[in-house]
Amino acid sequence: MKFHDPRAIALLNASVVTAGYVLLSFFTSCILHPASLSDFAMYGMLLVTGGLLFTGTYFFFRYTVDKFIYSKIRLIYKSIYSVKTQKTNRQRFRSSRDILDNVEQEVTHWGAEKQKEIERLKQLEEYRKDFIGNMSHELKTPLFNVQGYVSTLIDGGLDDPKINKEYLRRTEVSVERLIKIVEDLGEITQLESGQLYLNKVRFDIVAVTHEVVEMLEMKAHDKEIQVIINQPVKPVWVHADRDKICQVLTNIIDNSIRYGLDQNGRSKISFFDMDENILVEVTDNGVGIDQDDLPRVFERFYRTSRGRETSTKGKGLGLAIVKHIIEAHQQTINVRSTVGVGTTFGFTLRKA
Ligand SMILES: Nc1ncnc2c1ncn2[C@@H]1O[C@H](COP(=O)(O)OP(=O)(O)O)[C@@H](O)[C@H]1O
Ligand SMILES: [Mg+2]
């Protein structure tokens, strides 16, 4: 029992008061009735009244100290939780063995929680600044392009058959790019705030890969890149969100075409059985990614200098979206690459 325990305080006070009373009574009897010192009844009386006094003062002090501490603690709790403490809490405080130690623990815990919250808010603030900075940078290029083309058209270009249609077409391309950026931004904001609802179904990942490759056929054809699917013998059934996985495949295969070789380019998609999971790998023989850049390609807005040189169209959002989708499925995505040789992106999916 520690000294600041209400029971210890009450015990000490009760002992002091009782001892004082017993001693005072004893000496008073010695002086006023010396004969009563040999009277056992007097000792009996002293014992009974002393006992009663001890019990009375013990409970009196216990009640007063408890009440005092409770009134102080209630204020601390009120400020910590900003809630009204209820009667049940009072009960809890009273019966607690070491009330002040408990409060100390709770306050320390509360302090640590608050510190964590402050760190998190600081990080969010950094993230927000970063995000807005990147976003305005990304939006500027197509916006300035639109402004340039429209100004030229207004300043007489509209009557020039050599450029009017071409400038309108370029304006359209820039506006499409703006729309795509805004859509991707909306998606990434949703994903980063954890609002991704997955509609998991059973589907054949090989069939979906064929659909995606067909969709990207024109693009591959323009860059003279051959897209090959390493066709497994049987369908490969997985349990995942079909549309989202379609988006993942589109992004990765699109990258393998976009950052692929201009001639003799090749993009190969393979499937590997891994017990509970399926590993899907997309391998190209394109420009490759420097080792220093490898861990960063999944960051939003991150583009490698090699990537920028190869294609001016990227925004650096695709892989960030892909990573969120795969992680929402509790699966993994990884990349390996050798500059001048090629790159492989691989992700896993749960077998169905
Ligand atoms: N297959 C690849 N080969 C080489 N570099 C790649 C490949 N895939 C992605 N990258 C690099 O990673 C960056 C981020 O990719 P991504 O997020 O899809 O953005 P984007 O394609 O819009 O540039 C690219 O800009 C590029 O530098
Ligand atoms: Mg991309």
Side-chain angles (χ1 to χ4, degrees):
M1 199 187 310
K2 291 180 189 162
F3 185 65
H4 62 231
D5 187 324
R7 286 180 310 162
I9 297 172
L11 200 65
L12 188 75
N13 279 291
S15 310
V16 170
V17 170
T18 313
Y21 163 76
V22 171
L23 285 175
L24 198 70
S25 309
F26 186 72
F27 287 119
T28 316
S29 304
C30 281
I31 296 161
L32 298 179
H33 312 284
S36 67
L37 282 177
S38 53
D39 185 355
F40 278 112
M42 197 277 288
Y43 290 109
M45 270 294 281
L46 212 55
L47 203 66
V48 172
T49 48
L52 284 173
L53 186 70
F54 180 84
T55 317
T57 39
Y58 174 80
F59 284 109
F60 171 74
F61 278 111
R62 181 83 206 266
Y63 176 76
T64 317
V65 171
D66 261 359
K67 207 173 161 195
F68 173 76
I69 292 178
Y70 172 69
S71 68
K72 295 290 170 203
I73 285 173
R74 196 180 48 174
L75 284 179
I76 299 173
Y77 271 78
K78 260 190 177 177
S79 354
I80 289 180
Y81 297 110
S82 320
V83 289
K84 262 191 181 166
T85 43
Q86 286 150 11
K87 260 201 157 155
T88 47
N89 287 356
R90 180 172 185 158
Q91 218 49 49
R92 188 162 68 86
F93 297 152
R94 279 205 178 173
S95 55
S96 64
R97 303 203 84 215
D98 200 335
I99 190 169
L100 293 181
D101 272 355
N102 280 357
V103 174
E104 191 185 325
Q105 267 176 21
E106 294 231 14
V107 171
T108 315
H109 177 72
W110 176 80
E113 287 290 308
K114 285 287 154 200
Q115 192 56 38
K116 267 194 224 153
E117 205 176 316
I118 291 168
E119 291 301 322
R120 201 179 56 83
L121 287 174
K122 274 190 195 159
Q123 261 180 9
L124 269 180
E125 180 58 17
E126 280 299 308
Y127 164 81
R128 197 184 58 81
K129 275 194 215 147
D130 224 44
F131 192 88
I132 293 174
N134 286 329
M135 194 174 71
S136 59
H137 175 79
E138 282 302 315
L139 292 174
K140 258 184 215 157
T141 320
L143 267 178
F144 286 160
N145 284 348
V146 170
Q147 191 188 34
Y149 297 134
V150 171
S151 299
T152 315
L153 288 170
I154 291 173
D155 295 343
L158 211 53
D159 303 318
D160 183 347
K162 268 192 257 153
I163 61 161
N164 58 9
K165 215 160 178 193
E166 174 59 14
Y167 274 29
L168 277 174
R169 194 194 58 80
R170 289 190 197 174
T171 305
E172 191 187 26
V173 170
S174 288
V175 170
E176 271 167 9
R177 188 164 154 74
L178 275 174
I179 293 172
K180 186 81 181 81
I181 293 175
V182 172
E183 275 173 4
D184 279 358
L185 284 173
E187 175 146 25
I188 205 144
T189 312
Q190 251 188 358
L191 291 174
E192 291 195 351
S193 55
Q195 299 167 354
L196 178 63
Y197 171 72
L198 294 178
N199 178 24
K200 286 191 187 171
V201 290
R202 181 177 185 265
F203 64 92
D204 175 13
I205 184 75
V206 184
V208 170
T209 308
H210 274 285
E211 279 173 32
V212 172
V213 169
E214 248 169 57
M215 218 165 52
L216 293 168
E217 209 168 8
M218 283 302 288
K219 207 169 185 173
H221 185 260
D222 287 349
K223 258 200 100 169
E224 291 180 29
I225 286 186
Q226 200 189 353
V227 185
I228 310 152
I229 300 176
N230 251 349
Q231 181 78 36
V233 193
K234 286 189 217 155
V236 178
W237 297 103
V238 293
H239 183 65
D241 186 314
R242 196 180 188 280
D243 290 346
K244 295 271 182 269
I245 296 304
C246 206
Q247 205 177 343
V248 166
L249 278 168
T250 309
N251 267 305
I252 295 178
I253 301 172
D254 178 78
N255 279 350
S256 74
I257 297 169
R258 184 182 295 182
Y259 304 107
L261 287 186
D262 278 333
Q263 282 155 5
N264 289 329
R266 198 170 22 81
S267 167
K268 193 173 73 189
I269 304 137
S270 317
F271 306 89
F272 302 93
D273 195 324
M274 294 174 58
D275 291 339
E276 288 184 338
N277 296 330
I278 287 291
L279 170 68
V280 184
E281 281 199 342
V282 180
T283 302
D284 63 53
N285 60 344
V287 293
I289 304 169
D290 283 287
Q291 293 304 305
D292 289 349
D293 288 321
L294 270 184
R296 302 200 59 188
V297 290
F298 295 105
E299 286 175 22
R300 68 190 133 69
F301 296 113
Y302 193 82
R303 303 197 66 206
T304 67
S305 43
R306 242 172 254 283
R308 280 178 210 277
E309 282 163 23
T310 318
S311 160
T312 48
K313 282 198 181 139
K315 304 178 295 302
L317 288 174
L319 287 178
I321 293 175
V322 161
K323 191 162 196 272
H324 275 298
I325 294 175
I326 295 299
E327 284 178 354
H329 281 82
Q330 263 119 40
Q331 295 294 323
T332 51
I333 176 152
N334 59 68
V335 55
R336 50 184 196 274
S337 183
T338 311
V339 171
V341 178
T343 306
T344 299
F345 278 91
F347 63 92
T348 56
L349 286 177
R350 184 133 192 121
K351 274 202 276 190

